[in-house]
Amino acid sequence: MTTINDAAQDIIFRNARTHNGWTDKPVEDSLLERIYDLYKWGPTSANCSPLRIVFVKSKEAKERLKPALDAGNVEKTMKAPVTAILANDMEFYELLPKLFPHADAKAWFRGQPKKIEVTAFRNGTLQAAYFMIAARALGLDCGPMSGFSNDKVDDAFFKGTSYKSNFICSLGYGDPSKLFPRSPRLTFAEAAKIA
């Protein structure tokens, strides 16, 4: 496997920032589809792929999201061209006959709510990270956040479904003047060891 060059690494990681302000440039639906078509290839256990996304773009949808947001997140979320609600399907195992056809993987989860919850959360969160990397790779800025009421979001967008929101992520073309100073990161020695 070849590696991506330093410029691509900068776009995805080193120079990428969590954005709090946005330009007026719209995000086309076709770009959202391209993000999906890229991130879907990231691995999940037994290819379970539990992530489900609602892309909040319309004024009506933004108004449904607004009451769920913490006060400090309202303005920046309402101004974002798109906010993705990243949710986990708690019935992801129903699609395993299609996604993992070489074993009866659905049977691994039937009647095991704790295993379902842990698997959905772990793999849905992993896919959400792939989602942000894909968005950055395709030229968008991201503003992930957890400052909202999951219950209110689930009631407004997922009532009657098996989906549970995890976090939200605004997408668009960031306004660099609204960035906070870059926060430090831990060194390798502080965060890792080789055993």
Side-chain angles (χ1 to χ4, degrees), residues 56 61-69 77-78 83 85 153 157:
V56 176
K62 286 184 178 194
E63 288 303 317
R64 284 172 42 213
L65 179 60
K66 188 175 182 178
L69 300 170
T77 306
M78 292 300 101
T83 298
I85 303 172
V153 165
F157 290 91

Side-chain angles (χ1 to χ4, degrees), residues 39 42-53 86-93 95-96 99 116-128 162-164 166:
Y39 93 76
T44 55
S45 60
N47 198 31
C48 64
S49 307
L51 182 65
R52 306 293 181 263
I53 304 172
L86 301 156
N88 302 319
D89 184 355
M90 305 311 287
E91 293 180 358
F92 66 87
Y93 54 89
L95 294 173
L96 287 176
L99 296 173
I116 291 167
E117 181 181 353
V118 168
T119 301
F121 181 74
R122 178 185 305 118
N123 289 280
T125 302
L126 185 61
Q127 284 190 291
S162 56
Y163 302 172
K164 291 190 176 189
N166 185 352

Side-chain angles (χ1 to χ4, degrees), residues 20 36 42 78 112 131 165 175:
N20 297 295
Y36 176 81
M78 292 300 101
Q112 298 197 54
F131 165 84
S165 59
D175 178 353

Side-chain angles (χ1 to χ4, degrees), residues 46 93-110 112 115:
Y93 54 89
E94 294 291 344
L95 294 173
L96 287 176
K98 172 184 178 175
L99 296 173
F100 201 72
H102 43 276
D104 183 14
K106 184 176 174 180
W108 303 343
F109 297 98
R110 197 175 297 116
Q112 298 197 54
K115 187 174 184 180

Side-chain angles (χ1 to χ4, degrees), residues 8-176:
Q9 292 172 38
D10 286 345
I11 289 168
I12 295 170
F13 290 107
R14 289 187 287 258
N15 294 339
R17 301 293 307 280
T18 295
H19 278 266
N20 297 295
W22 307 96
T23 69
D24 293 333
K25 184 176 179 182
V27 174
E28 301 299 326
D29 292 354
S30 60
L31 183 53
L32 301 176
E33 291 178 22
R34 287 179 61 208
I35 293 169
Y36 176 81
D37 285 334
L38 186 55
Y39 93 76
K40 71 180 180 183
W41 297 111
T44 55
S45 60
N47 198 31
C48 64
S49 307
L51 182 65
R52 306 293 181 263
I53 304 172
V54 171
F55 291 105
V56 176
K57 285 185 74 173
S58 70
K59 183 172 176 27
E60 181 271 330
K62 286 184 178 194
E63 288 303 317
R64 284 172 42 213
L65 179 60
K66 188 175 182 178
L69 300 170
D70 289 358
N73 290 332
V74 171
E75 182 179 354
K76 64 183 177 181
T77 306
M78 292 300 101
K79 288 186 176 179
V82 181
T83 298
I85 303 172
L86 301 156
N88 302 319
D89 184 355
M90 305 311 287
E91 293 180 358
F92 66 87
Y93 54 89
E94 294 291 344
L95 294 173
L96 287 176
K98 172 184 178 175
L99 296 173
F100 201 72
H102 43 276
D104 183 14
K106 184 176 174 180
W108 303 343
F109 297 98
R110 197 175 297 116
Q112 298 197 54
K114 183 64 178 172
K115 187 174 184 180
I116 291 167
E117 181 181 353
V118 168
T119 301
F121 181 74
R122 178 185 305 118
N123 289 280
T125 302
L126 185 61
Q127 284 190 291
Y130 300 148
F131 165 84
M132 290 188 291
I133 291 169
R136 288 173 170 178
L138 293 174
L140 289 177
D141 293 307
C142 298
M145 66 188 88
S146 56
F148 68 97
S149 166
N150 291 83
D151 290 340
K152 288 180 180 178
V153 165
D154 293 350
D155 187 56
F157 290 91
F158 301 128
K159 193 175 235 174
T161 75
S162 56
Y163 302 172
K164 291 190 176 189
S165 59
N166 185 352
F167 65 98
I168 61 178
C169 181
S170 291
L171 299 170
Y173 302 92
D175 178 353

